[in-house]
Amino acid sequence: MRTERAQDAEPPRTAADPEPPAPDQEGGAAVQPGHDGLPRQGGGRGRARAVVMLLHGGREAGLEAPPPWNLPGLRMRPFARSIARATRGRQVQLTAVRYTHRGWNGTREDPLRDTDRALDALAEEYGEVPVILVGHSMGGRAALRAAGHPLVRGVVGLAPWCPPGDPVTQLANRSVVLLHSDRDHTTSPLASQTTATRARRAGARTCSVTIRGSDHAMLRRAPVWHRLTADLVTGLLGYGPLPPAVGTALKLPPGTSGPEGNLDLDRITGAGRG
């Protein structure tokens, strides 16, 4: 994975991404932002019926702590807004993993350890609630690797970093949807497709979706990324329908590979680039 560039900063706010609703007495999504605008770990209140955990990107190597205003963290802010809006009234808690180090750091696998600790903390706080992991780039790799935790029901990977040797057996009985731009020059869209196929053979429900004409930072066609991710989260939690082609792909038998499980967003929606 190439190191993410500083210019790949937060997507501009659009009319499609208003501020999230404040928590209310009717169980709206609780979003309590930290310095980077993401929800705080352990910042929930009351009960949660489900949790969505956000994992931002990072670097291949880096032992320093992420700064308070961390660009990869800021990039996830509009996703938090879209998910909060889509899950309003459902008692869905949003939270974000706080990394102790900026990099994956080889066999240290620091973001994976941080994610495992965060999931254990959720189990202590909320009990056996279903969790959807939403991870970008290095955070997508951490989400895929941590998906074997008993709380995890599904993973939405945003331009995930998928090295060919990473295990997939932990994804059995999970739902995994990997989104990737065909113009991503930081992580590999082909690797996402291959990972989805490998995970399906290992017993996961998977598909990959190509978002044409975008980029690794998800700046181009940003509203499409935000809207699709929110739809996937609500669909995987059972709070709304999945996009029909995605729902069909998640039911494919283990040996299926090729175009049935590797979807093109514009073709399955018939939409132009938004």
Side-chain angles (χ1 to χ4, degrees):
M1 179 185 73
R2 298 181 184 178
T3 299
E4 294 187 58
R5 297 166 293 179
Q7 60 263 37
D8 293 340
E10 178 196 3
R13 184 177 301 170
T14 69
D17 294 296
E19 290 295 337
D24 55 34
Q25 299 300 317
E26 298 179 355
V31 180
Q32 299 181 349
H35 290 299
D36 55 10
L38 292 180
R40 297 182 185 277
Q41 282 177 229
R45 67 184 188 100
R47 295 184 301 169
R49 294 181 180 175
V51 176
V52 179
M53 179 176 284
L54 305 173
L55 297 91
H56 63 69
R59 300 177 175 179
E60 186 169 353
L63 293 176
E64 69 277 16
W69 291 95
N70 186 32
L71 291 179
L74 290 170
R75 191 173 298 132
M76 299 301 290
R77 212 162 61 175
F79 289 94
R81 292 195 291 267
S82 292
I83 294 168
R85 183 175 64 251
T87 57
R88 183 175 175 84
R90 297 286 190 174
Q91 288 186 295
V92 175
Q93 173 69 31
L94 269 69
T95 187
V97 175
R98 301 297 183 202
Y99 301 142
T100 53
H101 306 280
R102 297 185 80 170
W104 186 268
N105 299 319
T107 57
R108 289 174 55 107
E109 301 178 335
D110 289 311
L112 173 59
R113 297 175 186 271
D114 293 334
T115 305
D116 284 338
R117 282 192 292 266
L119 287 165
D120 288 341
L122 284 182
E124 292 182 8
E125 186 169 0
Y126 297 114
E128 296 183 5
V129 295
V131 176
I132 303 297
L133 302 178
V134 179
H136 175 239
S137 194
M138 183 187 76
R141 184 183 187 185
L144 290 166
R145 292 289 304 278
H149 192 281
L151 294 185
V152 177
R153 298 294 181 270
V155 174
V156 179
L158 312 174
W161 177 23
C162 298
D166 271 10
V168 293
T169 54
Q170 76 281 0
L171 297 169
N173 300 315
R174 273 60 174 176
S175 296
V176 178
V177 184
L178 306 181
L179 313 182
H180 224 122
S181 168
D182 60 334
R183 297 184 181 179
D184 193 323
H185 301 297
T186 302
T187 57
S188 167
L190 179 59
S192 279
Q193 295 177 3
T194 301
T195 297
T197 300
R198 290 177 59 224
R200 190 181 306 117
R201 290 173 182 161
R205 299 173 292 274
T206 73
C207 76
S208 64
V209 181
T210 298
I211 300 178
R212 296 192 176 277
S214 186
D215 56 307
H216 184 71
M218 306 171 294
L219 289 166
R220 300 183 185 92
R221 308 192 69 184
V224 172
W225 286 89
H226 308 154
R227 183 169 57 249
L228 178 57
T229 299
D231 289 346
L232 292 171
V233 167
T234 56
L236 293 178
L237 287 173
Y239 294 151
L242 285 165
V246 172
T248 299
L250 293 182
K251 297 176 183 177
L252 291 172
T256 306
S257 61
E260 290 182 273
N262 300 328
L263 308 176
D264 183 305
L265 181 65
D266 292 335
R267 290 178 182 173
I268 65 176
T269 62
R273 294 179 181 176

